[in-house]
Amino acid sequence: MSVLDRIGQKLLFTFDPEAAHGLSIAALRCGLPAAGRPVRDERLKVSVCGIDFPNPLGMAAGYDKNAEVPDALLVLGFGFAEVGTVTPLPQAGNPKPRIFRLTADQAVINRLGFNNEGHEAAERRLAARKGRPGIVGVNIGANKDSADRIGDYERGVARFAQYASYLTVNISSPNTPGLRNMQAREQLGELLSRVIAARAAASAKPPVFLKIAPDLVEVELEDIAAEVTEKQLDGVIVSNTTISRPTLRSASVTGETGGLSGKPLFERSTIVLAKMRKLLGPDRAIIGVGGVDSTDAALEKIRAGADLVQLYTGMIYAGPALPGRILTGMVSFADKERLKSIRALRDISLDKWASKPL
């Protein structure tokens, strides 16, 4: 981290985590922090689902829930930004406090519960940026008290298809009761069928991804892969936060309920990623998420089968210059190894990761 990043982190860490998050969004809205020179290199480019990404590194959903700062995130160096999760109706989410830093582990536990301003507010902001360059995905979810959760996803597709570079169907948050049950094969089959039908009826036809949990067992992964393949979904995002608690040093908050993200998630999420790549084959798109906080971590996701990589928690601990550092490291690695493309690394470590037990 630079001295400026350290000062900024120290200042933000004096605030409650949720207040600090709000301050960081406000800073980006105001054009702070100033980004360095963008990292551009032909070897970083990757084409996925017909979209030409300038580099494989994206900001994951959960940071910009209300589509307030996607363009500011792109200025930081990200090749793409994913906004949301957005639900049809505004909802406050779970009671506070609901975000906990595990500083010794470079991790976070959150139980936010899809707190967001709803479709209307997000659509207004995305409509205002329509026509601007930059790849922006929209992550859609269901309201906690919805009588028809699949209908909520259909409404998300219908509303955001015209604005989204891609759509993500999020059924893997642990913080909305019963949501992860939609990963079961029967419910998933109906969900994907209706989502694909909703896209077919929309004025635009962006790729659709399914975001899954890391807490699945082998047979569940097999069922998901079968439904994704049968319904011809464009890809999968692996993974959301985990309800498991690997060995952690931050004992005072380890017992808090919610999803764990950050460095401790890297191992399991990468195993799930590789197993999903084996199940889906080489052509279906996969975005790898979980514990990405360095060039080495990002490259290892690609070696394990990812086409693209996302981060969020890593930037909390490494600062806003992290995307630039990761991409600069990728360019240096390509120089050292004389690679024509970073994509050439994909699947090199697939067998190693896929053979590990869950």
Side-chain angles (χ1 to χ4, degrees), residues 274-320:
K275 290 182 183 293
M276 188 56 68
R277 171 59 71 199
K278 284 277 192 178
L279 291 165
L280 291 175
D283 299 327
R284 198 79 56 183
I286 298 181
I287 301 177
V289 197
V292 175
D293 59 0
S294 66
T295 297
D296 287 345
L299 292 178
E300 196 60 22
K301 290 284 188 186
I302 296 170
R303 293 187 188 101
D307 298 292
L308 302 165
V309 178
Q310 290 177 324
L311 62 81
Y312 172 7
T313 303
M315 205 164 77
I316 294 173
Y317 291 99

Side-chain angles (χ1 to χ4, degrees), residues 74-136:
L74 296 174
V75 169
L76 291 181
F78 288 108
F80 61 109
E82 186 172 320
V83 302
T85 299
V86 187
T87 58
L89 300 176
Q91 61 182 25
N94 294 320
K96 299 179 182 180
R98 52 193 182 180
I99 308 178
F100 307 89
R101 297 188 191 102
L102 288 72
T103 305
D105 301 286
Q106 295 185 53
V108 166
I109 292 172
N110 92 81
R111 51 171 179 263
L112 288 162
F114 287 173
N115 58 309
N116 74 106
E117 296 173 3
H119 280 184
E120 185 177 346
E123 182 184 21
R124 184 173 64 250
R125 296 182 181 114
L126 291 169
R129 75 167 301 277
K130 192 172 183 179
R132 292 182 197 169
I135 299 165
V136 177

Side-chain angles (χ1 to χ4, degrees), residues 45-85:
K45 292 182 177 180
V46 58
S47 181
V48 178
C49 298
I51 303 172
D52 295 324
F53 292 79
N55 67 66
L57 185 67
M59 171 57 93
Y63 177 76
D64 187 10
K65 290 179 177 294
N66 296 304
E68 297 176 86
V69 291
D71 293 292
L73 290 170
L74 296 174
V75 169
L76 291 181
F78 288 108
F80 61 109
E82 186 172 320
V83 302
T85 299

Side-chain angles (χ1 to χ4, degrees), residues 8 11-12 15-33 59 62-64 68-69 72-73 76 101 312 315-316 319-320:
L11 174 63
L12 285 176
F15 292 91
D16 162 86
E18 193 158 351
H21 175 264
L23 286 171
S24 71
I25 292 283
L28 284 172
R29 273 203 309 265
C30 295
L32 298 171
M59 171 57 93
Y63 177 76
D64 187 10
E68 297 176 86
V69 291
L73 290 170
L76 291 181
R101 297 188 191 102
Y312 172 7
M315 205 164 77
I316 294 173

